[in-house]
Each structure stands twice: as C-alpha cells, then as structure tokens.
Amino acid sequence: VLGYETLVKSWDIVGLVQWDRAITDEGHMYKGTHTTRWKFMQDLRDISKRRLTLTGTPIENTEIDLYAQFEFMDKGGSGFTNVKAWRAFYGVYVKQESGHDKLIGCQNLPFMQERLARKTFEVRKKEVMPDLPDQTYDIIDIEMTDYQKDIYTQAAESLAVEIENEL
C-alpha cells in the first residue's frame, strides 16, 4: 500500500517486482495523461498481472477523464490507441484565439456508457453497511464579530446594488 507520490519516488524498488495485483483508489488522481504520475501508472500496469481501480468519483470534471482509468485497467481498454483519438471521438471542442482547443461538451456517450457497463460495478453504502444509522447533522450558530458584521453588510449592500443594476 502506497500513495501515488510514493509510487513515483520509489519506482526503482517497486518496479523490480512482477505484481500479481495492482489496485488503485481514487482513480481520478491519475487522469492527466501528460503527467509523470500517469507515466508511472502505465509502468505499474505493465508489470501487474491484474489491475483494479476503486473510486467514488471516476469522473472528476468531464467524461474525458475516464481514458486513463480504462487504460490502467487494460492497455487498449479505452478502445483507442492514444488519448488524442479518445478526445477526438468523445470531445466537442471550440478553437480559441490562442490556437488551443477548449472542451465544451461530450459526444458519442452511448459508446462510453457501454464500455463503462462492461468494466464497472457500483456498491452502495446501504448494501455493505445496512445497519449504519442515517446521517445526522448538527447546526452550530456562531456569532460574527463586529468587524465581520461590517464586512458582511458592505458585501451584501454592494451585491444588492450590482443585482439591481443588472435587472
């Protein structure tokens, strides 16, 4: 058991072992396919017989984030030979003045959903911990200091003027 940064820093030792299983938690932590972390995740994939990704948030920003998780579990598991092809198939982009493409949406999602359905399963808290009591909330009132009240009042008045002008 080790963290992602420890994997990178300890690769000279970790990389010497042919691992039976590599299980990652919080798979979105290696979504950036241009990062050093992703390079080492690919290396770990290649020396592990089996791979599994655990996460409560597989998609942190957009569906495009799933590429690295598919590729970690199986080389080619995304269905594409590279992230550029993945992005072109699933992403909708607009060219910016800087020349870079900005992701503005996703397309072809039924294909991704089908791939997800073959690779994922969901376990709900109630299924594994049926006796867990309902979540409770405590409301704690905290008095503002005079200074905080002044700042709050100024901000509220300023925002009210801005909203009124917009309307």
Side-chain angles (χ1 to χ4, degrees), residues 123-134:
V123 180
R124 299 209 175 260
K125 196 183 299 185
K126 285 287 184 196
E127 294 170 331
V128 294
M129 295 185 285
D131 299 328
L132 190 68
D134 290 336

Side-chain angles (χ1 to χ4, degrees), residues 41-137:
M41 293 306 296
Q42 291 176 90
D43 292 344
L44 180 61
R45 172 197 64 204
D46 295 343
I47 63 168
S48 302
K49 292 178 188 171
R50 295 177 196 89
R51 288 141 321 269
L52 179 66
T53 297
L54 309 173
T55 185
T57 51
I59 301 170
E60 190 174 39
N61 295 314
T62 73
E63 292 84 352
I64 302 297
D65 293 347
L66 290 171
Y67 175 82
Q69 293 171 70
F70 279 126
E71 286 297 313
F72 173 74
M73 289 185 286
D74 293 302
K75 187 172 186 174
S78 67
F80 293 85
T81 57
N82 59 60
V83 71
K84 187 175 180 181
W86 168 274
R87 289 176 169 274
F89 185 76
Y90 288 116
V92 177
Y93 300 90
V94 64
K95 188 71 93 179
Q96 294 184 306
E97 287 181 26
S98 65
H100 291 77
D101 291 338
K102 178 181 180 183
L103 178 69
I104 59 168
C106 290
Q107 62 186 357
N108 301 316
L109 292 180
F111 294 104
M112 189 183 295
Q113 289 167 332
E114 189 274 331
R115 189 168 299 279
L116 272 169
R118 286 188 281 130
K119 286 287 189 185
T120 63
F121 64 93
E122 180 179 39
V123 180
R124 299 209 175 260
K125 196 183 299 185
K126 285 287 184 196
E127 294 170 331
V128 294
M129 295 185 285
D131 299 328
L132 190 68
D134 290 336
Q135 189 169 2
T136 59
Y137 300 90

Side-chain angles (χ1 to χ4, degrees), residues 8 14 23 53-55 74 82 89 98 147 149 153 157 160 167:
V8 171
V14 174
I23 302 171
T53 297
L54 309 173
T55 185
D74 293 302
N82 59 60
F89 185 76
S98 65
Y147 178 70
K149 287 178 189 175
T153 302
E157 289 172 358
L167 295 176

